[in-house]
């Protein structure tokens, strides 16, 4: 049985979000707003199908995918760059590779105790986020 990430999760820590946003080319004014946010994630996991809705007072972002199926991702409201994305299981970790203009772009989700962890990668920057159940 795979891990179940389903639930509503609130951000409690956000390490090097600034470096990640700089690597994505997010402008100064937008970064200033974005780093103040405490996003919430609503995750619905149904077999191989995932729904991950990241919401905040400023922007929100919806991602829906199936494990192992490549899809076009538009990153609308984020850096707006299109990429080809694919999410797979690596043991109990959910790993996304986002192939496009930015090298080494992707993310990994995993559970640790009661917490949801997320590593966001772009070029040489790694942002580490931790969420607790709402
Ligand atoms: O999560 O891809 O759970 O999609 C990354 C923000 C900030 C907008 C958030 C809005 C990258 C301004 C999504 C924050 C910075 C800054 C709330 C992370 C870009 C723009 C939406 C992500 C995956 C894995 C699912």
């Amino acid at each position: 049985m795979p891990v179940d990430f389903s639930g509503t999760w609130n951000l409690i820590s956000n390490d090097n979000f600034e470096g990640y946003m700089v690597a994505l080319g997010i402008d100064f004014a937008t970064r200033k707003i974005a780093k103040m946010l405490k996003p919430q994630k609503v995750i619905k996991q149904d077999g191989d199908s995932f729904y991950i809705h990241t919401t905040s007072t400023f922007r929100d972002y919806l991602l829906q995918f199936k494990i192992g199926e490549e899809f076009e991702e538009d990153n609308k409201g984020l850096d707006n760059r299109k990429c080809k994305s694919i999410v797979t299981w690596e043991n109990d970790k959910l790993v996304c590779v986002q192939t496009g203009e930015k090298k080494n772009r992707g993310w990994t989700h995993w559970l640790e105790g009661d917490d949801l962890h997320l590593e966001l990668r772009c070029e040489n920057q790694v942002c580490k986020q931790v969420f607790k159940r709402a």
Side-chain angles (χ1 to χ4, degrees):
M1 278 293 281
V3 182
D4 190 0
F5 293 94
S6 297
T8 301
W9 302 91
N10 292 330
L11 184 83
I12 57 157
S13 68
N14 196 1
D15 184 42
N16 196 38
F17 189 47
E18 172 70 8
Y20 176 73
M21 288 194 290
V22 169
L24 280 175
I26 307 300
D27 69 81
F28 178 82
T30 305
R31 294 202 310 272
K32 231 178 110 172
I33 296 166
K35 74 177 87 169
M36 300 300 295
L37 302 172
K38 291 280 175 276
Q40 184 174 75
K41 275 188 201 283
V42 173
I43 303 181
K44 298 173 187 176
Q45 180 177 339
D46 178 15
D48 278 351
S49 298
F50 282 78
Y51 164 109
I52 303 180
H53 195 195
T54 309
T55 62
S56 75
T57 53
F58 179 51
R59 302 261 172 85
D60 70 293
Y61 187 68
L62 175 62
L63 191 68
Q64 290 182 265
F65 59 87
K66 284 187 176 164
I67 296 294
E69 289 186 11
E70 190 178 67
F71 58 97
E72 285 264 0
E73 188 173 5
D74 62 9
N75 295 287
K76 202 169 163 60
L78 305 180
D79 67 320
N80 295 304
R81 277 190 199 84
K82 289 184 171 51
C83 52
K84 294 234 193 269
S85 301
I86 187 166
V87 184
T88 56
W89 286 109
E90 287 186 15
N91 299 310
D92 286 342
K93 292 187 173 184
L94 200 59
V95 179
C96 180
V97 175
Q98 297 171 306
T99 305
E101 187 187 328
K102 291 290 177 183
K103 300 295 175 206
N104 191 38
R105 184 170 182 175
W107 51 259
T108 301
H109 265 302
W110 68 96
L111 295 178
E112 241 178 75
D114 293 332
D115 299 337
L116 174 73
H117 287 239
L118 173 63
E119 184 182 274
L120 294 161
R121 299 175 292 276
C122 183
E123 297 181 326
N124 61 341
Q125 296 297 312
V126 179
C127 167
K128 178 67 194 302
Q129 300 186 336
V130 181
F131 297 80
K132 279 205 180 297
R133 284 198 190 272

